[in-house]
Amino acid sequence: MKEKAKINFFKSLRFRILIILIILGIVPSVIVTRTVITNYEEKAIANRSANVRNQCDILCNLLIQENYLNDSSSQVVDSKLELLSNIYSGRILLVDRDFRIVKDTYGVDEGKTLVSPAVVSCFQGNEKSHFDNKNQMLEMAVPIKSPEVKQLQGAMLVYVSSSEIAATIEELEQREILIIGSIVAISILLGYVLSTILVKPFARVTKSIEDLTDGYQNEDISVPDYTETALITDAFNKMLGRMKLLDESRQEFVSNVSHELKTPMTSMKVLADSLVGQEGIPEELYQEFLRDITAEIDRENKIITDLLSLVKMDKKAADVTITHMDINQLLEDILKRLRPIADKRKIALILDCFRPVDADVDEVKFTLAISNLVENGIKYNVDEGWVRVSLDADHKYFYVTVADSGMGIPEESIDRIFERFYRVDKSHSKEIGGTGLGLAITRSSIAMHHGTVKVFSKEGEGTTFSVRIPLSYIP
């Protein structure tokens, strides 16, 4: 089914390319041939009109000289009229001022009255010509006038056949059809060849992606034939890189979870075996072992609790319970709850609120995030040090800064501190009691509020975490 869909896709792509090439071939050829035929027709008619008009002007002068409109007995004029009508396969009518037909080369309408729009327009001083495309006939009305008399003597109505022009146009149209047919055939052949060439790189992209997803290829794919294929493969390689990182992160996470959960279990097993394997153990030693087992159970419970918190953080934002809250009061409550832990090491907890702030937050998740930052500031601090929490806001965001006077974070570890189970000082992690999940939980919680958290630190000079969260939550 998958192979059939792929074949259909490439067939459709080739067909579209073929249609585009055919259209690109036909449309310009039709426009060009139509333009050529139209221009030819206009120029041919214009030339015919000019030639006929020249002959009519000569004939009109002869008519005036012979006074033909008053005395139509001139054989010279008759022969000239017959000759002109025969040359152009047409008909000539001579009309006097009374609209009476003096001469008809067809010899049909002589003596009759002719009041046609062309003749009337001619007597009004407007020379008129008209081309009848249907009958392929050119109609011209030429005034007959004497240089010595202002008034028109009559009008010459000329009908000239344009059948040869029509024949030429018909021949051109036939050639147009032949040319367009040839172009269509060439476009189909060229389109087939080009579509095959154009589709090949996309087929290679598809094949490379299939090989990669089927596990036959481990390297990045590269099809740089076109800009489009290069962009597609580049985007795919980036996505693949992210997937590999996610897979490595998942494997590392599973490995870390297994290790973290196994370590307390191993300790408890060793302590329990020590108790079972010895008889007459002093009560003090027995109590010490039990206290150690209880501590390991608490540690295991803390890891499991943090893991469950991370699982909840990974769920969709629909699980967020947003409430409009007083952030100043919320921070005061967090510090109040953590102050006994800080007092054990004489660490001062300081809260600086630069303005009253009300915002939309999930109380539980926001409290968990800030509590983790403050608790880390206490854990990784020096005795009689300080942790300062600052609150500020602008028109769009509120900002919480947690700074401490602790040991700081090495530069090479700053980019990894939000990874799950990552610890900066692994040698003292058991003494401090962390699980390596606190900052990962914090980042997930802040992200669920559409916020960001950044860290600034220098080893031996303390650490500052800066949190930015929108005042209004947008689902």
Side-chain angles (χ1 to χ4, degrees):
M1 192 71 179
K2 180 181 176 182
E3 191 68 24
K4 185 178 180 181
K6 183 175 71 173
I7 292 172
N8 289 335
F9 167 75
F10 287 117
K11 280 184 176 179
S12 175
L13 184 58
R14 291 179 66 177
F15 179 74
R16 291 174 185 174
I17 293 173
L18 193 62
I19 292 298
I20 291 171
L21 289 174
I22 291 174
I23 292 173
L24 289 176
I26 290 176
V27 173
S29 62
V30 170
I31 293 173
V32 170
T33 52
R34 278 287 94 197
T35 302
V36 170
I37 292 173
T38 302
N39 288 339
Y40 168 78
E41 183 178 8
E42 291 175 353
K43 289 181 179 179
I45 292 171
N47 290 335
R48 175 60 59 86
S49 299
N51 291 334
V52 172
R53 177 57 194 267
N54 290 335
Q55 296 294 330
C56 289
D57 288 342
I58 295 172
L59 192 55
C60 285
N61 292 332
L62 183 60
L63 290 173
I64 295 298
Q65 291 174 8
E66 297 289 335
N67 194 22
Y68 190 82
L69 293 178
N70 295 321
D71 181 8
S72 57
S73 60
S74 174
Q75 296 295 323
V76 176
V77 174
D78 289 341
S79 62
K80 292 288 185 179
L81 290 172
E82 291 295 331
L83 179 61
L84 184 60
S85 62
N86 290 333
I87 290 174
Y88 292 107
S89 302
R91 181 184 184 185
I92 301 175
L93 298 175
L94 298 179
V95 182
D96 62 13
R97 285 180 296 186
D98 297 325
F99 296 97
R100 184 176 62 87
I101 299 175
V102 176
K103 178 66 177 179
D104 180 4
T105 55
Y106 278 12
V108 176
D109 296 326
E110 291 178 358
K112 294 181 181 180
T113 300
L114 177 63
V115 183
S116 69
V119 174
V120 173
S121 179
C122 184
F123 277 108
Q124 291 176 347
N126 300 319
E127 297 184 22
K128 189 172 182 182
S129 63
H130 170 68
F131 178 70
D132 187 351
N133 192 43
K134 182 178 179 181
N135 298 315
Q136 297 300 320
M137 189 69 68
L138 176 63
E139 179 185 6
M140 297 180 63
V142 180
I144 302 173
K145 58 183 178 179
S146 171
E148 300 172 356
V149 181
K150 185 176 182 182
Q151 188 178 11
L152 292 180
Q153 302 299 309
M156 180 185 296
L157 194 59
V158 183
Y159 297 94
V160 178
S161 174
S162 300
S163 56
E164 67 275 13
I165 297 176
T168 305
I169 291 173
E170 184 178 355
E171 184 180 352
L172 289 175
E173 288 176 343
Q174 291 175 355
R175 291 184 180 180
E176 175 190 14
I177 294 172
L178 182 62
I179 291 171
I180 292 174
S182 301
I183 290 174
V184 170
I186 294 171
S187 297
I188 291 174
L189 179 62
L190 186 62
Y192 181 81
V193 174
L194 287 179
S195 62
T196 302
I197 296 172
L198 292 172
V199 167
K200 274 185 178 179
F202 293 98
R204 289 207 302 275
V205 172
T206 305
K207 182 66 168 59
S208 299
I209 292 174
E210 286 180 348
D211 290 344
L212 202 59
T213 53
D214 290 340
Y216 300 132
Q217 185 175 325
N218 294 321
E219 301 295 329
D220 291 345
I221 62 175
S222 176
V223 184
D225 298 56
Y226 310 132
T227 303
E228 291 77 8
T229 56
L231 291 173
I232 290 171
T233 54
D234 184 55
F236 183 82
N237 289 332
K238 287 180 180 178
M239 180 189 70
L240 188 65
R242 294 192 187 100
M243 291 176 63
K244 287 179 179 178
L245 287 175
L246 286 173
D247 188 58
E248 292 173 0
S249 177
R250 179 185 61 80
Q251 292 178 2
E252 184 180 359
F253 176 71
V254 172
S255 175
N256 287 335
V257 168
S258 302
H259 174 74
E260 293 295 333
L261 292 177
K262 188 177 179 180
T263 300
M265 295 291 291
T266 303
S267 298
M268 287 187 284
K269 180 72 167 56
V270 171
L271 292 169
D273 288 344
S274 298
L275 290 175
V276 172
Q278 298 184 38
E279 296 181 2
I281 300 176
E283 184 177 351
E284 294 81 7
L285 183 60
Y286 190 82
Q287 292 291 337
E288 182 182 347
F289 277 25
L290 287 180
R291 282 193 296 271
D292 289 341
I293 290 173
T294 301
E296 292 299 329
I297 292 172
D298 290 340
R299 183 181 168 197
E300 185 97 0
N301 184 59
K302 181 70 166 63
I303 294 173
I304 293 172
T305 301
D306 285 349
L307 282 172
L308 290 175
S309 297
L310 268 179
V311 170
K312 291 178 181 178
M313 294 293 179
D314 287 339
K315 288 185 178 181
K316 57 184 180 180
D319 294 336
V320 177
T321 304
I322 297 298
T323 309
H324 196 69
M325 301 197 66
D326 181 352
I327 305 301
N328 304 69
Q329 185 61 49
L330 197 57
L331 293 178
E332 286 184 11
D333 294 341
I334 292 172
L335 295 190
K336 182 178 179 181
R337 190 162 50 251
L338 295 175
R339 190 160 275 112
I341 301 174
D343 289 343
K344 291 180 181 179
R345 298 177 58 195
K346 297 182 180 180
I347 295 174
L349 295 184
I350 306 163
L351 176 61
D352 292 330
C353 295
F354 295 98
R355 68 188 74 247
V357 177
D358 291 329
D360 298 337
V361 296
D362 182 312
E363 181 180 2
V364 175
K365 292 180 174 60
F366 178 76
T367 300
L368 183 60
I370 301 303
S371 296
N372 281 337
L373 294 179
V374 177
E375 195 169 349
N376 277 354
I378 296 171
K379 287 179 181 178
Y380 298 97
N381 213 322
V382 296
D383 292 340
E384 299 183 4
W386 51 266
V387 176
R388 183 183 299 274
V389 180
S390 303
L391 174 64
D392 202 353
D394 55 23
H395 66 288
K396 191 174 181 181
Y397 299 97
F398 73 91
Y399 306 88
V400 178
T401 302
V402 179
D404 64 58
S405 59
M407 60 186 71
I409 302 171
E411 186 177 351
E412 64 273 11
S413 298
I414 288 179
D415 292 335
R416 300 193 60 191
I417 59 171
F418 291 105
E419 295 179 12
R420 300 171 182 186
F421 291 112
Y422 182 79
R423 294 188 182 91
V424 176
D425 188 358
K426 294 181 176 61
S427 61
H428 294 88
S429 60
K430 188 172 181 180
E431 297 174 12
I432 295 174
T435 63
L437 296 172
L439 289 179
I441 293 171
T442 296
R443 184 175 63 176
S444 296
S445 175
I446 299 301
M448 293 183 78
H449 288 83
H450 306 302
T452 59
V453 55
K454 296 181 180 180
V455 59
F456 307 93
S457 183
K458 191 172 182 181
E459 197 170 7
E461 297 183 10
T463 303
T464 299
F465 286 92
S466 178
V467 176
R468 187 192 72 178
I469 297 177
L471 292 169
S472 299
Y473 180 82
I474 301 176

